[in-house]
Amino acid sequence: MWSFLSKQADIDRAMVKFNTLIQKGAYATALEVERGVKSANDSYNGRYVVCRYNTIADSLVTVSDSQIKDYYKAHKNQYKQTPYRTISLVEFEVTPTDADKAAVEADAKAAAEQFATAADVKVFSRENRHVSIAQSYITAAQMTADEKAALTAGKMYGPALVADEWRAARAIEVRNVPEKYTLSHIVLNYTDDKLADSLVTVAKKGDFAALASQYSLAQTAADGGNIGEITYASLSQEFADALNGKKKGDVVKVSTGNAIQIIKVDGVSAIQKHYKVASLVYPVVASQNTQREVHNAASLFAVTAKNDGFQATADAQSQASRTVNVEKASRSIYGLDGHSLEVVFWANKAKVGDVSELIKLDNNHYVVATLTAVNDNEFRSVNDVAAQIKNTLLRDKKFEQIAAKMTGKTIEEVATAAGSEVKTFEDVKYDAYYVPGIGVEPRVLGAISSLEQGAVSAPIKGASGVYVLVTDGVTAAEEAQTLEAEKVKQQASAEQSATRAFYAVQQAAEIEDNTVGYF
């Protein structure tokens, strides 16, 4: 164990040193700081003209297959992917039938009758696993309206169906105690019983804070043992019993686990009724017979699918199948509630066409799957991204057509030539994400902040349209960002960004993650 810990410490220390070296090597340049100050301090006002791409129908623009392929080759790195396997799966969910629901209801109501008349609820709770007694007290304000109406009147609440559970409740004890206590404590080791008794005697007359500072093992010793304000409803049974009936100035001893606590009551709030509640809960679940039927149906599907084919069996048995991609090194499958590790493991070991055995999930679901395809390519194929590339090329060609007509020496002339109108923008900052009327347009923001005041821009290729703009004025912030403050901000950002170097090193090392085969 020492050898393992020592080796791990060496690795951890090396990692810390590596990350520190990278972080300290990062810095904010003077240009970045200058630009940051300008972005923080300047707001821009001006006018713009926009012609949206959707004003030209896609059918009026031609994009050939060869153009799509040429674009793909030129931008191939944009289409990197994680290798994945495609599976189809059928799920069999264990859910209660109407007969199951009726049986649970009958059992819950029969138990509730006994619960309502039980003379000793504690004994009854030991005989019925569906009954539990709360470990703390609650006020009427912590109850639902229906519970409050019944329990505060001395009656049983329920049985009632709440969120797929049959519930009933009884108040087995009522205490008139303060809603809140202000407390201080001294914490001792459980072996210091004699010392605790002596401190209780001294604390009743002496300086409790001084005793806590000298003897308490808790961090609160530095503050004279002060705990602060605590609600009675938050107290465990031991502390609730010890403080029951106690007044300001009283001191009590409480032994819990491996500690002894000496509690002093520094203050109490108004008296309020508190209730200890016993609850009967019958969840609406599937019967064993239903569970067997679902298991048998799932098992039959798995056997038949191996012989007759997965999809043919699903169609014949009217079972809905769905297709998902399981990425290499993933640990879960979307929609399987995080309990899909065994399905992922099988998918990474299977061959195309294989059908799995019956796989039981942690949440009483069963799954049968088949592997339909394996894609180990480093890049998505041109066919997979053809529609995406076509949209990009359509936008580029529409830009050329629109930009050709957005001409003029003034913004008004551009609007007339383009058949559009002049609009205004106000108080736009360089680091804005969204600009009213313009939207999310990074290139437009860059142009607004970099144009010479009064100059008409060239046509700008935006995300949703083509823009021409002019900046009319710049307003400085009332509380300007300083170079020093901006440098601190930029430096912190640079160091944070530098941590990405670790992942770059991993990528450069071409590490292949095969751990999915060993969990």
Side-chain angles (χ1 to χ4, degrees), residues 4 28 32 56 59 105 116 130 139 148 158 172 196 211 249 263 278 289 292 313 330-331 343 350 404 475 480 490 500:
F4 168 77
E32 289 172 328
I56 299 177
S59 59
E105 180 180 357
H130 294 281
T139 64
K148 179 179 178 180
I172 61 173
L211 293 173
I263 309 290
N289 184 56
R292 281 194 298 270
T313 303
S330 67
R331 294 293 185 270
V343 182
T475 303
Q490 293 278 355
R500 299 174 190 168

Side-chain angles (χ1 to χ4, degrees), residues 481-492:
Q481 174 79 313
T482 64
L483 284 170
E484 292 75 13
E486 184 63 26
K487 185 174 182 180
V488 171
K489 175 184 172 182
Q490 293 278 355
Q491 181 66 31

Side-chain angles (χ1 to χ4, degrees), residues 102-118:
V104 172
E105 180 180 357
D107 290 344
K109 289 182 176 179
E113 290 182 6
Q114 299 175 2
F115 180 56
T117 58

Side-chain angles (χ1 to χ4, degrees), residues 65-297:
D65 291 342
S66 61
Q67 289 173 324
I68 291 175
K69 291 178 181 178
D70 289 343
Y71 186 93
Y72 176 81
K73 291 177 182 177
H75 303 82
K76 194 171 182 179
N77 279 336
Q78 294 181 8
Y79 306 111
K80 278 192 173 184
Q81 68 174 9
T82 302
Y84 64 89
R85 292 176 168 235
T86 303
I87 64 172
S88 289
L89 56 86
V90 170
E91 297 177 66
F92 296 84
E93 185 177 0
V94 181
T95 57
T97 63
D98 291 341
D100 294 337
K101 294 176 182 178
V104 172
E105 180 180 357
D107 290 344
K109 289 182 176 179
E113 290 182 6
Q114 299 175 2
F115 180 56
T117 58
D120 192 331
V121 177
K122 291 183 179 179
V123 172
F124 185 74
S125 69
R126 289 194 288 268
E127 297 172 349
N128 189 315
R129 64 185 178 86
H130 294 281
V131 177
S132 62
I133 299 175
Q135 296 300 306
S136 58
Y137 294 79
I138 61 173
T139 64
Q142 295 171 281
M143 303 176 188
T144 66
D146 291 339
E147 288 173 333
K148 179 179 178 180
L151 299 183
T152 57
K155 300 176 181 179
M156 183 180 80
Y157 161 75
L161 184 62
V162 180
D164 292 328
E165 291 181 335
W166 283 97
R167 292 176 171 269
R170 282 181 60 184
I172 61 173
E173 184 186 352
V174 180
R175 288 183 175 179
N176 289 310
V177 292
E179 181 185 4
K180 297 177 182 178
Y181 288 82
T182 303
L183 304 174
S184 296
H185 70 161
I186 298 172
V187 180
L188 303 174
N189 192 288
Y190 73 98
T191 58
D192 292 332
D193 195 60
K194 290 184 178 179
L195 174 60
D197 290 337
S198 299
L199 290 176
V200 168
T201 302
V202 176
K204 288 180 178 179
K205 299 179 180 180
D207 187 341
F208 190 92
L211 293 173
S213 299
Q214 182 177 356
Y215 292 100
S216 182
L217 302 177
Q219 291 183 346
T220 52
D223 193 25
N226 179 49
I227 300 175
E229 198 172 65
I230 294 179
T231 61
Y232 191 81
S234 67
L235 296 173
S236 65
Q237 185 67 56
E238 296 91 343
F239 288 97
D241 288 343
L243 291 173
N244 187 27
K246 295 300 183 288
K247 304 180 296 297
K248 181 179 179 179
D250 287 347
V251 178
V252 296
K253 183 180 81 171
V254 184
S255 296
T256 57
N258 61 352
I260 299 172
Q261 294 201 46
I262 302 168
I263 309 290
K264 182 186 177 185
V265 180
D266 296 322
V268 295
S269 66
I271 300 296
Q272 193 170 9
K273 281 188 176 182
H274 286 70
Y275 302 82
K276 170 153 281 196
V277 178
S279 301
L280 180 144
V281 179
Y282 270 75
V284 179
V285 295
S287 65
Q288 291 185 350
N289 184 56
T290 298
Q291 293 180 36
R292 281 194 298 270
E293 289 179 354
V294 174
H295 182 274
N296 291 340

Side-chain angles (χ1 to χ4, degrees), residues 355-432:
V355 177
S356 72
E357 301 295 336
L358 181 63
I359 300 174
K360 186 178 186 299
L361 304 181
D362 293 344
N363 57 350
N364 285 326
H365 284 186
Y366 297 96
V367 165
V368 180
T370 183
L371 183 67
T372 59
V374 175
N375 191 326
D376 288 331
N377 296 322
E378 184 181 0
F379 301 93
R380 297 174 66 188
S381 70
V382 65
N383 290 333
D384 289 341
V385 297
Q388 177 183 341
I389 293 175
K390 183 178 180 179
N391 287 334
T392 299
L393 294 177
L394 283 171
R395 184 198 64 185
D396 291 349
K397 292 194 172 190
K398 289 180 181 181
F399 168 76
E400 293 173 359
Q401 293 183 27
I402 295 172
K405 64 180 182 180
M406 296 184 76
T407 59
K409 294 182 179 180
T410 66
I411 197 73
E412 288 77 15
E413 290 179 0
V414 172
T416 301
S420 185
E421 61 180 334
V422 178
K423 299 180 180 180
T424 60
F425 58 85
E426 296 179 349
D427 298 326
V428 174
K429 284 184 171 292
Y430 172 74
D431 57 358

Side-chain angles (χ1 to χ4, degrees), residues 28-42 477-491:
T29 66
L31 181 62
E32 289 172 328
V33 174
E34 181 182 344
R35 185 67 182 181
V37 170
K38 184 177 177 63
S39 300
N41 293 339
D42 292 347
E478 292 183 4
E479 297 183 5
Q481 174 79 313
T482 64
L483 284 170
E484 292 75 13
E486 184 63 26
K487 185 174 182 180
V488 171
K489 175 184 172 182
Q490 293 278 355
Q491 181 66 31

